Amino acid sequence: MCALLLKPEALQYEFDNIGYVGFEIEKEFVIGYGLDYNGKFRNLKDIYREVTLGART
């Protein structure tokens, strides 16, 4: 098994056969570079994460 993107906090099962991890990220929503949301955004050239802006006053 190969894992290029790993979210350790989001793992539901323990794997002992991961051969390669490109990098680890926090448990957050990401899209792009092959990762999609409802079939969209898969073809983005980079990986993007959701950013929540603070409340405006």
Side-chain angles (χ1 to χ4, degrees), residues 18-53:
I18 296 177
Y20 175 81
V21 175
F23 56 94
E24 296 182 9
I25 63 170
E26 299 293 323
K27 185 177 178 180
E28 55 192 354
F29 181 79
V30 294
I31 57 169
Y33 204 71
L35 304 167
D36 68 56
Y37 175 72
N38 288 336
K40 299 176 183 172
F41 311 115
R42 172 179 285 270
N43 295 326
L44 295 172
K45 67 176 190 156
D46 295 308
I47 296 174
Y48 298 88
R49 67 183 173 98
E50 180 181 29
V51 175
T52 305
L53 300 176

